[in-house]
């Protein structure tokens, strides 16, 4: 398994976690929006239904108030010209046959007209001649008998196909229970609303018939249907927006995990890259010494140098790990920068080295361990690449100075142009002999302190590297901004 395959595992898990968080956020929003939409649609539908029934109840109440009795029988003339019977609702008046008796010619039938075509205004109790047409029986299964109902008035056309048997059943229920009945009844392949209200004889106060009002809910539910479509469309768009927002929020919430994973991968890559060379040198030296133990003293210096380099690599890698860690591992304190640089210069290995120090007293707000690593890497870079050209002994001339918050390390090496510095401060980029991590680590330490690392040509040949640390207090702000 390659390093890329190993890194792909955690990345796939993070992506799956982001998708799960997005899905959970979307489903939660969908459930909430669905419940809210159902409540809105259900409440609005119930409001329209109640409003329709209230209007039908009003028509039924007005119609029953217009029915009265005289000596000639029940009078229906007030129904013809009233608004309650001329609207979009169908109004039926059903009268008990015990009150009609044998109706005579002229009794109301159909839509307010008798069988001769004259407008009818009443139903009488006179004897019907042989062959005369009388009130239309409703709901009778056979010959008319006691307790049957006749429809004596109908308003408008039969736009809602409710059966005569159902209308008669509603009227009988209202009369027998002496209550107003409101129901949803079948009307072909749809449903209609029905209200039945009984009416009474003026003198005996007996229940003599009922008014049945039939309404078509489709005529009034168009507004409810439009609201339903609007709510469902809005819910769908809101769910899509929630999914998009959830994906963004889950990505932001997982950003620290992504950064930690990338930092871990960089740390492992640095360790693997930097440890490979000194370990190989030590192994080859040991193999050669093993073949001829008498030459072991000649290989010990090479092994010691590889060990020193290995120590530096481990320290640099651990330092990079600290920089990539949380702000808790970064502890800037007031620090005498000149004394720290002087101590670092005192740790340089003895040899053909010309060292010049120009140290002004300076106090900075910095992390002592990180600053020491940065100064040591600059000195190591000067020793490794700053040897004086033409010196047969490979001696180095290094000039170190501290002024304010800036540390300058200058050498007499081949020099470096300012435009080459970004390339040299990338990881694993070295012009020879170095680890390729030193200058990049110095740049990161400078950035953590709110400072910079710059390079410029040195007068007379060579290069000068300037490590500028931020003023007191700026290091904390710079670290907080990158954490």
């Amino acid at each position: 398994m390659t390093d890329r395959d190993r890194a792909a595992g955690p990345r796939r898990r993070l992506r799956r976690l982001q998708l799960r968080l997005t899905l959970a956020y979307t489903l939660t929003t969908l459930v909430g929006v669905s419940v809210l939409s159902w409540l809105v649609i259900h409440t609005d539908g119930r409001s329209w239904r109640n409003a329709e029934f209230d209007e039908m109840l009003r028509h039924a109440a007005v119609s029953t108030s217009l029915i009265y009795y005289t000596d000639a029988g029940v009078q229906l003339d007030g129904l013809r010209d009233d608004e309650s019977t001329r609207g979009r609702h169908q109004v039926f008046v059903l009268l008990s046959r015990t009150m009609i008796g044998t109706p005579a010619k002229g009794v109301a039938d159909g839509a307010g007209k008798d069988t001769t075509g004259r407008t009818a205004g009443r139903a009488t109790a006179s004897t019907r001649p042989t062959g005369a047409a009388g009130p239309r029986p409703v709901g009778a299964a056979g010959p008319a008998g006691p307790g049957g109902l006749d429809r004596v008035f109908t308003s408008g056309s039969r736009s809602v196909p409710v059966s005569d048997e159902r209308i008669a059943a509603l009227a009988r229920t209202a009369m027998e229970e002496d209550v107003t009945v409101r129901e949803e009844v079948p009307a072909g392949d749809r449903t209609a609303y029905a209200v039945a209200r009984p009416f009474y004889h003026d003198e005996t106060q007996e229940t003599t018939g009922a008014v049945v009002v039939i309404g078509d809910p489709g005529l009034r539910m168009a507004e409810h249907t439009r609201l339903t479509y609007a709510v469902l469309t809005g819910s769908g768009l809101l769910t899509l927006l929630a999914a998009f927002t959830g994906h963004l929020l889950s990505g932001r919430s997982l950003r620290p995990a992504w950064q930690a994973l990338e930092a871990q991968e960089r740390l492992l890559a640095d360790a693997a890259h930097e440890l490979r060379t000194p370990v190989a040198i030590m192994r080859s030296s040991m193999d050669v010494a093993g073949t001829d133990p008498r030459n072991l003293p000649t290989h010990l210096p090479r092994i010691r140098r590889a060990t020193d380099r290995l120590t530096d690599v481990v320290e640099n890698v651990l330092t990079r790990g600290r920089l990539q860690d949380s702000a808790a591992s970064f502890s800037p304190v007031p620090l005498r920068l000149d004394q720290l640089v002087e101590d670092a210069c005192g740790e340089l290995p003895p040899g053909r080295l010309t060292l010049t120090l120009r140290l002004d007293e300076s106090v900075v707000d910095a992390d002592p361990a990180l600053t020491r690593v940065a100064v040591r890497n600059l000195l190591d870079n000067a020793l490794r690449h700053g040897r004086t050209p033409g010196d047969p002994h490979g001696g180095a001339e290094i000039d170190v100075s501290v002024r304010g918050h800036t540390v300058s390390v200058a050498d007499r090496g081949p020099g470096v142009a300012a435009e080459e510095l970004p390339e040299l401060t990338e990881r694993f980029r070295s012009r020879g002999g170095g680890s390729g991590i030193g200058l990049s680590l110095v740049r990161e330490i400078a950035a953590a302190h709110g400072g910079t690392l710059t390079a410029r040509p040195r007068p007379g040949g060579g290069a000068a590297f300037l490590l500028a640390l931020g003023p007191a207090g700026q290091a904390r702000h710079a670290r907080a901004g990158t954490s």
Side-chain angles (χ1 to χ4, degrees):
M1 180 180 292
T2 63
D3 294 340
R4 180 173 298 180
D5 294 334
R6 295 189 186 95
R11 291 180 182 275
R12 282 196 298 265
R13 288 194 292 271
L14 283 177
R15 291 191 185 96
R16 286 197 296 266
L17 178 59
Q18 183 178 5
L19 291 177
R20 290 192 186 101
L21 291 175
T22 302
L23 182 61
Y25 188 83
T26 304
L27 290 179
T28 302
T29 304
L30 179 61
V31 171
V33 169
S34 299
V35 172
L36 182 61
S37 299
W38 180 84
L39 289 175
V40 170
I41 294 173
H42 180 72
T43 302
D44 185 73
R46 186 170 55 186
S47 298
W48 282 110
R49 179 178 181 273
N50 292 336
E52 182 71 9
F53 271 119
D54 289 343
E55 185 176 354
M56 293 170 62
L57 286 171
R58 183 177 62 83
H59 287 312
V62 172
S63 297
T64 55
S65 67
L66 295 175
I67 301 174
Y68 63 96
Y69 283 86
T70 64
D71 293 339
V74 62
Q75 304 298 315
L76 308 174
D77 53 338
L79 296 174
R80 293 196 315 271
D81 301 325
D82 192 77
E83 294 181 356
S84 61
T85 60
R86 291 189 301 177
R88 57 188 178 85
H89 299 103
Q90 300 175 26
V91 180
F92 302 91
V93 178
L94 287 83
L95 190 64
S96 173
R97 289 201 181 104
T98 58
M99 300 305 299
I100 294 180
T102 305
K105 193 175 188 178
V107 176
D109 182 27
K113 293 187 178 182
D114 63 15
T115 56
T116 63
R118 296 186 299 272
T119 301
R122 64 189 181 187
T124 66
S126 59
T127 301
R128 178 171 60 88
T130 303
R136 181 180 178 182
V138 179
L149 296 174
D150 286 325
R151 189 172 70 229
V152 296
F153 180 85
T154 301
S155 69
S157 61
R158 297 289 296 273
S159 59
V160 183
V162 179
S163 64
D164 292 340
E165 290 77 7
R166 190 63 181 175
I167 295 174
L170 290 169
R172 278 194 296 270
T173 301
M175 293 171 62
E176 292 171 359
E177 299 181 5
D178 197 20
V179 294
T180 300
V181 179
R182 46 183 289 179
E183 292 183 3
E184 295 184 10
V185 297
D189 57 350
R190 52 182 173 159
T191 301
Y193 296 157
V195 171
R197 180 186 176 93
F199 59 87
Y200 312 95
H201 195 283
D202 295 337
E203 295 182 358
T204 64
Q205 296 300 313
E206 296 180 358
T207 303
T208 57
V211 174
V212 179
V213 180
I214 303 296
D216 185 2
L219 298 177
R220 195 166 184 176
M221 295 296 284
E223 291 290 337
H224 173 68
T225 302
R226 284 194 290 269
L227 175 67
T228 300
Y229 289 150
V231 169
L232 294 179
T233 302
S235 300
L237 294 177
L238 184 60
T239 303
L240 293 177
L241 179 61
F244 178 74
T245 305
H247 187 73
L248 292 181
L249 292 179
S250 61
R252 289 183 64 88
S253 64
L254 291 177
R255 184 176 299 173
W258 284 105
Q259 294 174 346
L261 178 61
E262 293 174 355
Q264 182 184 22
E265 292 176 354
R266 287 196 300 269
L267 185 62
L268 292 177
D270 290 347
H273 183 274
E274 297 301 325
L275 293 177
R276 186 180 295 115
T277 300
V279 169
I281 294 174
M282 294 174 64
R283 183 179 180 85
S284 63
S285 299
M286 295 298 295
D287 291 341
V288 173
T291 59
D292 187 5
R294 292 175 299 179
N295 293 329
L296 179 60
T298 61
H299 294 287
L300 287 179
R302 187 183 181 194
I303 296 175
R304 185 178 295 109
R305 288 193 300 271
T307 305
D308 294 340
R309 183 176 179 182
L310 183 63
T311 302
D312 292 339
V313 167
V314 171
E315 183 177 1
N316 284 339
V317 170
L318 292 178
T319 302
R320 184 182 292 277
R322 284 192 59 194
L323 289 173
Q324 295 171 351
D325 199 357
S326 62
S329 62
F330 184 77
S331 304
V333 296
L335 176 68
R336 282 288 300 271
L337 183 60
D338 57 311
Q339 293 180 357
L340 184 145
V341 172
E342 185 177 7
D343 293 341
C345 291
E347 298 175 359
L348 292 175
R352 297 185 177 278
L353 170 66
T354 303
L355 179 64
T356 304
L357 298 179
R358 298 182 180 86
L359 307 178
D360 295 343
E361 183 176 334
S362 175
V363 178
V364 296
D365 191 13
D367 186 292
L370 295 179
T371 305
R372 182 180 296 274
V373 171
V375 173
R376 187 182 300 164
N377 284 354
L378 288 178
L379 294 174
D380 180 71
N381 180 75
L383 282 174
R384 192 177 302 275
H385 305 289
R387 296 182 179 89
T388 304
D391 189 341
H393 302 288
E397 180 183 339
I398 301 177
D399 187 357
V400 180
S401 63
V402 174
R403 289 185 176 84
H405 302 90
T406 303
V407 178
S408 174
V409 179
D411 57 56
R412 289 297 182 185
V416 57
E419 57 270 14
E420 296 178 358
L421 182 62
E423 179 182 355
L424 292 178
T425 54
E426 293 181 9
R427 292 185 304 148
F428 315 141
R429 300 299 296 270
S430 175
R431 291 189 295 184
S435 67
I437 194 175
L439 290 180
S440 67
L441 186 59
V442 175
R443 178 177 57 82
E444 292 185 14
I445 293 175
H449 287 82
T452 58
L453 173 64
T454 57
R456 65 188 181 190
R458 183 183 181 185
F465 289 86
L466 286 79
L467 170 64
L469 301 177
Q474 185 172 342
R476 293 186 177 89
H477 299 306
R479 184 59 177 172
T482 58
S483 297

